[in-house]
């Protein structure tokens, strides 16, 4: 569905050149919800502009929905944009138009007859949960409702790909979850391929099948969301994962735990339900204190973390850690005193 090979995007020349996207290779499958995460300046917004044809790569190829975006002519680009739609952080609605008129707008541009426009708009209003708000203006809507209008408008021309550029970052957490649930439902019901740009790992965790992590224009890590949660390789990925798995202030809490050995356990899938802690206490002559614990749900299954303080002689503690490895529990020693 989407294939990027050796994609570079450079702005300016010589000493003033800025490389926004650097040698990016990505494959995104049809029907997948794919997340691209990075901090400001990572290159993710430039990457999404390359996907919708607003920018052309300096080198490399961008293929999406059957179109080579780096070489399409103006007519082909117009056709491509019927298959590639987009929703935005700040909604980009027409403030002088009602909900119904906003959703109808791309159908008017496409020359769709009025009766068909009416049918399609009503269908989309039901799909995004805005029944009863058809005649409201954007100024009368909440942030979540505005984004629902944006989603409905983006779906008006039956696209194959939906690009989401920080689509929830202007919303509160509860509204964010409702919009993510809507995108998941749309993906499942319509088989739509969704590419989601964000700087929030919660968004990735909740709805994405796979994720690419960007830093300084490079894709530094890719994989299924569960794999990335379980074994983040790059420092930036570890920081993103900790947004979800470790509460704010974790480092300060750990710094004030007196004595013993602090270990971090990671559980995946069914292992999150195993009585590992009880087995540890029964088998070894050590004291075990729970410092912190968390379970996160991803599209690929559950991922849990547990930070323990182990108190006992060095040999028993080492045997306990070895036992955890035997059980297949990923174990990291944080401090050993």
């Amino acid at each position: 569905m989407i294939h990027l090979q050796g994609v570079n995007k450079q702005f300016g020349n010589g000493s003033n050149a800025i490389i926004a996207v650097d040698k990016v290779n990505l494959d995104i499958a049809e029907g997948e919800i794919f997340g691209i995460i990075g901090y400001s300046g990572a290159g993710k917004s430039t990457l999404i502009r390359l996907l919708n044809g607003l920018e052309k790569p300096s080198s490399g190829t961008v293929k999406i929905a059957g179109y080579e975006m780096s070489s399409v002519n103006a007519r082909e680009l117009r056709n491509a944009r019927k298959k590639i739609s987009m929703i935005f952080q700040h909604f980009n609605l027409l403030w002088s138009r009602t909900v119904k008129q906003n959703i109808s707008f791309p159908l008017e541009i496409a020359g769709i007859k009025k009766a068909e426009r009416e049918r399609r708009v009503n269908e989309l209003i039901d799909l995004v949960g805005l029944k009863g708000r058809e005649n409201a203006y954007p100024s009368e809507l909440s942030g979540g409702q505005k984004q629902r209008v944006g989603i409905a408008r983006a779906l008006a021309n039956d696209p194959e790909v939906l690009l989401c550029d920080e689509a929830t970052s202007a919303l509160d957490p509860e509204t964010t979850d409702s919009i993510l649930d809507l995108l998941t439902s749309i993906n499942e019901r319509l088989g739509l391929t969704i590419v989601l740009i964000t700087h929030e790992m919660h968004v990735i965790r909740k709805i994405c099948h796979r994720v690419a992590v960007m830093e300084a224009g490079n894709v530094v890590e890719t994989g299924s969301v569960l794999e990335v949660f379980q074994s983040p390789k790059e420092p930036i990925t570890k920081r993103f994962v900790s947004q979800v798995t470790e509460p704010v202030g974790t480092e300060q809490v750990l710094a004030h735990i007196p004595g013993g050995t602090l270990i971090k356990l990671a559980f995946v899938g069914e292992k999150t339900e195993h009585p590992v802690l009880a087995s540890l206490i029964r088998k070894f002559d050590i004291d075990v204190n729970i410092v912190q614990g968390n379970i996160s749900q991803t599209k690929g299954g559950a991922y849990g973390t547990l930070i323990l303080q182990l108190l006992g002689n060095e040999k028993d503690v080492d045997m306990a850690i070895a036992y955890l490895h035997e059980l297949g529990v990923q174990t990291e020693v944080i401090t050993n005193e």
Side-chain angles (χ1 to χ4, degrees), residues 107-139:
L107 297 171
E108 294 172 26
I109 293 174
I112 304 300
K113 292 182 179 179
K114 184 176 180 180
E116 175 60 17
R117 289 203 311 267
E118 288 280 330
R119 184 198 67 78
R120 180 64 176 150
V121 168
N122 289 331
E123 184 181 82
L124 288 166
I125 285 171
D126 283 341
L127 178 67
V128 301
L130 286 174
K131 192 72 174 174
R133 302 296 284 160
E134 299 94 328
N135 298 315
Y137 288 89
S139 61

Side-chain angles (χ1 to χ4, degrees), residues 95-268:
W95 293 86
S96 61
R97 284 179 168 242
T98 64
V99 166
K100 200 169 187 178
Q101 291 167 341
N102 264 282
I103 298 169
S104 180
F105 186 61
L107 297 171
E108 294 172 26
I109 293 174
I112 304 300
K113 292 182 179 179
K114 184 176 180 180
E116 175 60 17
R117 289 203 311 267
E118 288 280 330
R119 184 198 67 78
R120 180 64 176 150
V121 168
N122 289 331
E123 184 181 82
L124 288 166
I125 285 171
D126 283 341
L127 178 67
V128 301
L130 286 174
K131 192 72 174 174
R133 302 296 284 160
E134 299 94 328
N135 298 315
Y137 288 89
S139 61
E140 301 172 307
L141 302 176
S142 67
Q145 290 171 330
K146 290 172 189 172
Q147 195 56 284
R148 288 173 185 268
V149 178
I151 292 170
R153 182 184 59 188
L155 298 176
N157 281 318
D158 289 316
E160 296 177 18
V161 177
L162 180 62
L163 306 176
C164 307
D165 188 8
E166 299 279 8
T168 59
S169 62
L171 306 175
D172 62 76
E174 185 175 347
T175 305
T176 291
D177 281 346
S178 72
I179 294 298
L180 295 177
D181 288 339
L182 175 60
L183 290 174
T184 299
S185 174
I186 289 168
N187 167 257
E188 292 171 352
R189 291 173 62 178
L190 305 181
L192 198 65
T193 303
I194 298 177
V195 181
L196 199 150
I197 299 290
T198 185
H199 63 275
E200 300 172 295
M201 200 63 181
H202 165 72
V203 172
I204 299 293
R205 176 194 64 78
K206 187 170 176 66
I207 72 166
C208 293
H209 300 103
R210 290 194 302 134
V211 61
V213 182
M214 287 195 74
E215 184 176 32
N218 296 282
V219 171
V220 297
E221 192 163 347
T222 59
S224 75
V225 173
L226 189 57
E227 288 170 351
V228 168
F229 266 67
Q230 182 184 5
S231 302
K233 296 178 178 62
E234 299 295 324
I236 188 172
T237 311
K238 293 177 181 178
R239 291 201 297 274
F240 277 124
V241 170
S242 70
Q243 288 181 4
V244 178
T245 61
E246 296 178 11
V248 175
T250 294
E251 289 186 7
Q252 289 84 349
V253 170
L254 297 183
H256 290 88
I257 301 296
T261 298
L262 287 178
I263 62 172
K264 181 178 178 180
L265 312 184
F267 306 85
V268 178

Side-chain angles (χ1 to χ4, degrees), residues 241-317:
V241 170
S242 70
Q243 288 181 4
V244 178
T245 61
E246 296 178 11
V248 175
T250 294
E251 289 186 7
Q252 289 84 349
V253 170
L254 297 183
H256 290 88
I257 301 296
T261 298
L262 287 178
I263 62 172
K264 181 178 178 180
L265 312 184
F267 306 85
V268 178
E270 294 179 357
K271 288 190 174 67
T272 57
E273 302 172 6
H274 289 181
V276 172
L277 193 57
S279 298
L280 202 64
I281 294 169
R282 284 197 305 267
K283 283 182 173 291
F284 302 97
D285 185 22
I286 59 173
D287 291 325
V288 180
N289 296 320
I290 298 175
V291 177
Q292 192 179 89
N294 185 60
I295 294 178
S296 299
Q297 291 292 332
T298 75
K299 295 287 282 186
Y303 172 80
T305 60
L306 190 63
I307 296 178
L308 304 176
Q309 180 193 37
L310 307 183
L311 296 167
N313 68 58
E314 185 177 345
K315 182 179 179 182
D316 287 334
V317 169

